[in-house]
Amino acid sequence: MDKLDIYEIESKKTKTLSDIVFSKLKTAILEGYFREGEKLSTESIRKKFKVSRMPVREAFRKLEAEGLVVVHPQIGVIVSDISIEEFEEITEVRILLEKYAVKKALENATDKDFELLENIIEEEEKEIEFMKKIKIRNKFHLEVYKLANNSILFSHICEIYDKFGRYIYLHAQYVKKTEKYNHRKLLEVFQSRNIEKTLVILEAHIKDVAEEIKRILINK
Amino acid sequence: MDKLDIYEIESKKTKTLSDIVFSKLKTAILEGYFREGEKLSTESIRKKFKVSRMPVREAFRKLEAEGLVVVHPQIGVIVSDISIEEFEEITEVRILLEKYAVKKALENATDKDFELLENIIEEEEKEIEFMKKIKIRNKFHLEVYKLANNSILFSHICEIYDKFGRYIYLHAQYVKKTEKYNHRKLLEVFQSRNIEKTLVILEAHIKDVAEEIKRILINK
């Protein structure tokens, strides 16, 4: 269970014990440290976190509600499968939400907003470690969609990013590094404020990553 | 707290005590039995449900996570405000998701699917009680969007319906009854399989209800 040591929890409001356990386990599953089909042991997790069984069980239930684990009464708690079908569904919703959000974002974006995005891209370009690069890229996307100025839309996009996360990290394990998805190109088309062109390029970008992930899922 | 007696919980999987309390309180807030600004008392709720304080506190935290209450350390647990701004955001996302879903649904729908929808409309037309009518209408919409065959998209739409719920019930309290939103017209345009016309009518339908709700929010 030492692999959980690497995670820090973004503490928001007061967290209960089960929240903390949930959050650590969730990150570990999303980032692929626990793989599909792997069994999670209540005993080792509760020892690791030095908590009673209750918060661990509560955390399992939350993970189940988010579809990350399946609780089998006889077998135990198993990390749920990832599937091409689910991935295709996620990609479809991602394209729908992000195209809409970027359109709205471009209507609102100021030069100052573009500066902030420019800084994120510079951070991405300097970063060597692939996993950290991915986090910066996600931040870049999310900063753009924030500009759409609709917090409900934004929360839906965050949810999709969460779900996409497991696949992105799977991708990262195979691809290790790639310069192909440098996001400067995306920023440049955003800056052009040409909405039609931006939507075409954004959709192509999402589909391009998605195709690569699908190839990995098929060959896995 | 007797107003909670009217709620039945749709039991899915094994529910914990806090789930049950959460689910009842959530429905009570969504349906307007607890109004914005109203204080929820841990003591009366725990007595009502004959549980200890823990599951009630846990339920409050879940309600807070869904934005339905605000927990003030000094004041207590207050039902959160509904606002025109939030409502407009919800409506915007509703239109985005539902237009996309209905387009996909019409591509997939069989005559048998239309028969099922026809039955729901007949049920709606026979129903006299307005609150029950609303539930049947929601079911009608959701049955259509299920046909889009994307469970991730569907779960996002369900979430939006949940959020929209508080406003719809507010609407119901003022309007009491209306034949204006008979959903047969919607079914007829779905059946025509004219996607372009359907999208126009669906958007007009959502906006029409939304405008009425906004008027209520302004005059409240």
Side-chain angles (χ1 to χ4, degrees):
Chain A
M1 293 298 303
D2 289 322
K3 42 189 172 181
L4 291 176
D5 283 331
I6 61 163
Y7 300 109
E8 285 310 313
I9 307 147
E10 342 70 69
S11 134
K12 237 180 72 184
K13 298 182 184 162
T14 340
K15 295 236 178 191
T16 62
L17 279 177
S18 81
D19 279 333
I20 294 170
V21 178
F22 165 71
S23 172
K24 292 223 177 201
L25 292 177
K26 180 175 170 174
T27 313
I29 294 170
L30 288 181
E31 299 196 354
Y33 287 89
F34 288 122
R35 302 295 292 270
E36 55 274 25
E38 195 167 341
K39 191 174 161 179
L40 300 182
S41 144
T42 311
E43 267 315 287
S44 55
I45 291 168
R46 71 161 207 84
K47 274 182 196 153
K48 169 73 190 165
F49 292 110
K50 298 184 182 66
V51 294
S52 66
R53 314 187 94 207
M54 268 298 282
V56 178
R57 283 203 195 126
E58 185 67 15
F60 283 163
R61 277 196 339 93
K62 285 181 198 161
L63 290 170
E64 193 181 25
E66 292 202 6
L68 291 171
V69 304
V70 180
V71 180
H72 297 281
Q74 311 301 330
I75 308 165
V77 179
I78 308 290
V79 176
S80 63
D81 278 346
I82 50 184
S83 74
I84 293 185
E85 292 70 29
E86 188 197 57
F87 180 69
E88 284 181 333
E89 289 187 1
I90 293 169
T91 304
E92 197 180 345
V93 179
R94 231 196 111 175
I95 290 171
L96 174 70
L97 295 176
E98 292 191 37
K99 279 175 77 176
Y100 184 79
V102 81
K103 185 176 165 294
K104 298 276 295 183
L106 289 191
E107 288 165 9
N108 298 333
T110 65
D111 290 349
K112 222 177 140 71
D113 295 324
F114 283 128
E115 260 173 56
L116 171 73
L117 294 173
E118 177 73 43
N119 292 343
I120 298 175
I121 293 295
E122 277 168 20
E123 200 189 333
E124 185 207 336
E125 286 169 342
K126 275 184 212 139
E127 182 56 56
I128 296 158
E129 211 205 296
F130 190 64
M131 298 298 252
K132 283 188 189 159
K133 238 181 178 18
I134 287 178
K135 282 201 174 119
I136 301 170
R137 285 171 187 179
N138 283 347
K139 192 171 126 196
F140 172 78
H141 278 273
L142 294 178
E143 284 297 335
V144 174
Y145 306 139
K146 253 186 214 163
L147 299 175
N149 238 336
N150 180 326
S151 62
I152 302 284
L153 176 67
F154 188 72
S155 73
H156 282 272
I157 291 177
C158 287
E159 238 179 79
I160 279 289
Y161 265 73
D162 245 21
K163 290 210 168 70
F164 207 78
R166 276 185 88 184
Y167 296 91
I168 280 284
Y169 285 104
L170 177 77
H171 180 233
Q173 286 160 41
Y174 283 79
V175 178
K176 296 294 179 204
K177 70 174 193 166
T178 170
E179 286 314 308
K180 196 175 156 197
Y181 300 115
N182 182 311
H183 281 40
R184 186 168 287 280
K185 270 185 250 162
L186 271 183
L187 176 62
E188 278 164 10
V189 70
F190 292 164
Q191 277 167 326
S192 76
R193 293 185 186 271
N194 180 334
I195 290 180
E196 221 166 301
K197 200 176 157 195
T198 299
L199 295 183
V200 171
I201 289 188
L202 177 68
E203 180 162 349
H205 166 77
I206 297 174
K207 281 189 173 164
D208 199 15
V209 180
E211 278 309 313
E212 213 163 277
I213 294 175
K214 261 164 66 181
R215 269 196 298 279
I216 293 167
L217 288 171
I218 290 166
N219 297 322
K220 209 159 59 85
Chain B
M1 294 300 300
D2 290 324
K3 40 190 174 180
L4 291 176
D5 283 333
I6 60 161
Y7 299 109
E8 284 311 312
I9 307 148
E10 341 68 72
S11 133
K12 236 180 74 184
K13 295 181 185 164
T14 342
K15 296 235 174 190
T16 63
L17 278 178
S18 81
D19 280 334
I20 294 170
V21 178
F22 164 71
S23 171
K24 292 221 176 203
L25 292 177
K26 179 174 171 176
T27 312
I29 294 170
L30 288 180
E31 300 197 352
Y33 287 88
F34 289 122
R35 302 295 291 269
E36 55 273 25
E38 194 167 341
K39 191 175 162 181
L40 301 182
S41 145
T42 312
E43 267 314 287
S44 54
I45 291 167
R46 75 161 203 82
K47 275 184 197 154
K48 168 75 190 164
F49 292 110
K50 300 183 181 68
V51 294
S52 67
R53 312 186 96 206
M54 268 297 282
V56 179
R57 282 203 195 125
E58 184 66 17
F60 284 162
R61 277 195 339 91
K62 285 181 198 161
L63 291 170
E64 193 181 25
E66 293 201 6
L68 291 171
V69 304
V70 181
V71 180
H72 297 283
Q74 310 301 328
I75 309 167
V77 179
I78 308 289
V79 176
S80 63
D81 278 345
I82 51 184
S83 74
I84 293 185
E85 293 69 29
E86 187 197 60
F87 180 69
E88 283 179 333
E89 289 187 0
I90 293 169
T91 304
E92 198 180 344
V93 179
R94 232 197 110 175
I95 290 170
L96 174 70
L97 295 176
E98 293 191 36
K99 278 174 79 176
Y100 184 80
V102 80
K103 187 175 164 292
K104 298 277 294 183
L106 289 191
E107 287 164 12
N108 297 334
T110 63
D111 290 348
K112 223 175 137 74
D113 296 323
F114 282 128
E115 259 172 56
L116 172 73
L117 295 173
E118 177 74 42
N119 292 342
I120 299 175
I121 294 296
E122 278 169 18
E123 200 189 334
E124 186 207 339
E125 287 170 340
K126 275 185 213 140
E127 181 56 56
I128 296 157
E129 212 204 298
F130 190 64
M131 297 299 251
K132 283 189 189 158
K133 239 181 176 23
I134 288 177
K135 282 200 174 121
I136 301 170
R137 285 171 187 179
N138 284 347
K139 192 171 127 196
F140 172 77
H141 277 274
L142 294 177
E143 283 298 335
V144 173
Y145 306 139
K146 253 186 214 163
L147 299 176
N149 238 336
N150 180 325
S151 62
I152 303 284
L153 176 66
F154 189 72
S155 73
H156 282 270
I157 292 178
C158 287
E159 238 180 76
I160 279 289
Y161 265 73
D162 245 19
K163 290 209 169 69
F164 206 80
R166 273 185 90 184
Y167 296 90
I168 279 285
Y169 286 106
L170 176 78
H171 180 233
Q173 285 160 41
Y174 284 80
V175 178
K176 297 295 177 200
K177 71 174 193 163
T178 171
E179 286 315 308
K180 198 176 157 193
Y181 299 115
N182 182 311
H183 280 39
R184 185 169 286 281
K185 271 187 246 161
L186 271 183
L187 177 62
E188 278 164 8
V189 70
F190 292 164
Q191 278 168 325
S192 75
R193 292 186 187 270
N194 180 334
I195 290 180
E196 220 166 301
K197 199 175 159 196
T198 299
L199 295 183
V200 171
I201 290 188
L202 178 69
E203 181 162 351
H205 166 78
I206 298 172
K207 282 189 171 162
D208 199 15
V209 179
E211 280 309 314
E212 212 164 277
I213 293 174
K214 262 164 67 180
R215 270 197 298 277
I216 293 168
L217 288 170
I218 291 167
N219 297 322
K220 209 160 59 86

